[in-house]
Amino acid sequence: MAKWKIVTDSGCDYKELVNIAPATLFEIVPLTVRIGEEIFLDDASLDIDQMMEVMYASSDAAGSACPSPQAYEAAYEGAENVIVLTLTGSLSGSYNSARVAKEIFLEEHPDVNIHLVDTLSAGGEMDLLVGEINRLIASGLDYDEVVSAITDYQKKTKLLFVLAKVNNLVKNGRLSKLVGAVVGLLNIRMVGEASNEGKLELLQKARGHKKSVTTAFEEILKAGYKGGRIVIAHRNNDKFCQQFSELVRNMYPDALIEALPTSGLCSFYAEENGLLMGYEI
């Protein structure tokens, strides 16, 4: 049995953790995306490009479904200490499934420690939290110390997103129709953040790619960014990542910036060229 296990749903974009802490396992509990009659399981084998092609070619209703409590129960097996991170509970039932699974699992395994983190977020901020948990475990802290440290760390992270299309967010009730009506018109991009309650909020409307880069940089500075870690989860937007990273490093040369492709779920909601950026304040 491993000492530690980091469990996350596929609101996180990592498929595996590079430099995983000793005696630690990493497991993703996938959500599903449904497009018409087709179901896509958001695991490591998902062909995200193909899923997006099907989505854009289809006029059928499309949405996502959270993992079952049974899927979480299975993921809790095999470790003494389990830290679980889920998508924001205000927009997904994933946290609730994880919570129900914890109650059932602990009845049969009372000696296991399980801590749940509602990230109140998705994408890059979830990725930041997962990376930090891995570093905390690697530093040799015990269970209570890791729980305390990640609780404090979460107060110092935020999510900023830049979206060129928001059809799926509006259709699935994650974003107001009023905001949705503007985005996509006249090359308008939505620059927003996850609120303290884990809901999506519009900060600015930026016209064009170049303006979206500078607006995103302005917004993270306004929120208190001072050169800490950044993780940019993006759907085919290397150009943004490169130009944004240059802006950051001009001011903070030592900033640690990581860019990675969005998971199936994050690709579905962020859509083409969308990105979900987690950063430390």
Side-chain angles (χ1 to χ4, degrees):
M1 180 180 278
K3 185 164 185 194
W4 292 92
K5 196 169 198 183
I6 304 169
V7 174
T8 175
D9 64 29
S10 55
C12 168
D13 304 283
Y14 290 126
K15 299 287 183 280
E16 59 182 348
L17 286 184
V18 181
N19 301 323
I20 193 162
T24 302
L25 302 170
F26 176 60
E27 186 164 342
I28 295 169
V29 183
L31 284 91
T32 52
V33 172
R34 179 188 44 75
I35 301 165
E37 298 300 308
E38 285 198 64
I39 304 283
F40 298 87
L41 184 67
D42 190 13
D43 62 9
S45 65
L46 174 64
D47 184 334
I48 297 173
D49 292 340
Q50 193 250 339
M51 180 192 82
M52 298 297 281
E53 277 177 30
V54 170
M55 183 187 87
Y56 283 123
S58 171
S59 55
D60 293 336
S64 59
C66 68
S68 67
Q70 291 79 12
Y72 273 110
E73 262 189 272
Y76 298 164
E77 296 277 0
E80 297 167 30
N81 303 302
V82 184
I83 309 287
V84 189
L85 300 99
T86 73
L87 275 161
T88 174
S90 65
L91 297 178
S92 168
S94 189
Y95 179 82
N96 203 41
S97 279
R99 184 187 56 76
V100 171
K102 174 183 171 178
E103 289 171 10
I104 297 166
F105 189 85
L106 290 180
E107 283 175 17
E108 294 178 22
H109 307 83
D111 297 334
V112 175
N113 295 312
I114 301 177
H115 177 65
L116 301 186
V117 180
D118 180 347
T119 66
L120 301 171
S121 196
E125 189 176 4
M126 278 187 79
D127 306 335
L128 257 190
L129 292 167
V130 167
E132 181 66 11
I133 288 167
N134 187 48
R135 284 188 288 277
L136 291 168
I137 293 169
S139 73
L141 299 182
D142 66 23
Y143 172 78
D144 289 333
E145 289 169 329
V146 168
V147 168
S148 175
I150 199 62
T151 303
D152 289 342
Y153 181 77
Q154 189 178 0
K155 294 168 189 162
K156 303 182 188 107
T157 64
K158 286 183 76 72
L159 178 80
L160 184 93
F161 52 86
V162 180
L163 307 175
K165 298 178 178 179
V166 293
N167 297 342
N168 287 334
L169 283 169
V170 172
K171 276 187 213 161
N172 288 278
R174 267 73 171 182
L175 198 64
S176 77
K177 288 180 180 173
L178 193 64
V179 172
V182 177
V183 178
L185 294 174
L186 306 171
N187 207 9
I188 296 287
R189 286 156 170 76
M190 175 182 178
V191 180
E193 67 176 0
S195 71
N196 292 335
E197 296 76 44
K199 296 190 173 163
L200 306 182
E201 292 188 344
L202 175 66
L203 291 168
Q204 289 196 52
K205 299 186 287 285
R207 179 170 292 179
H209 164 82
K210 194 174 175 185
K211 182 68 176 157
S212 75
V213 176
T214 54
T215 301
F217 186 53
E218 285 165 17
E219 287 296 342
I220 70 165
L221 292 178
K222 208 187 289 179
Y225 177 74
K226 296 182 182 68
R229 288 178 185 273
I230 297 177
V231 179
I232 309 172
H234 67 101
R235 172 66 193 165
N236 292 333
N237 204 339
D238 291 320
K239 187 176 169 187
F240 180 100
C241 297
Q242 184 189 340
Q243 293 174 350
F244 182 83
S245 298
E246 283 171 11
L247 273 184
V248 173
R249 290 196 177 113
N250 283 342
M251 189 176 285
Y252 298 104
D254 298 326
L256 293 168
I257 305 171
E258 180 184 0
L260 72 161
T262 40
S263 66
L265 181 88
C266 291
S267 298
F268 175 75
Y269 283 114
E271 299 197 53
E272 284 304 316
N273 297 322
L275 58 101
L276 300 155
M277 180 193 313
Y279 62 99
E280 296 174 349
I281 54 173

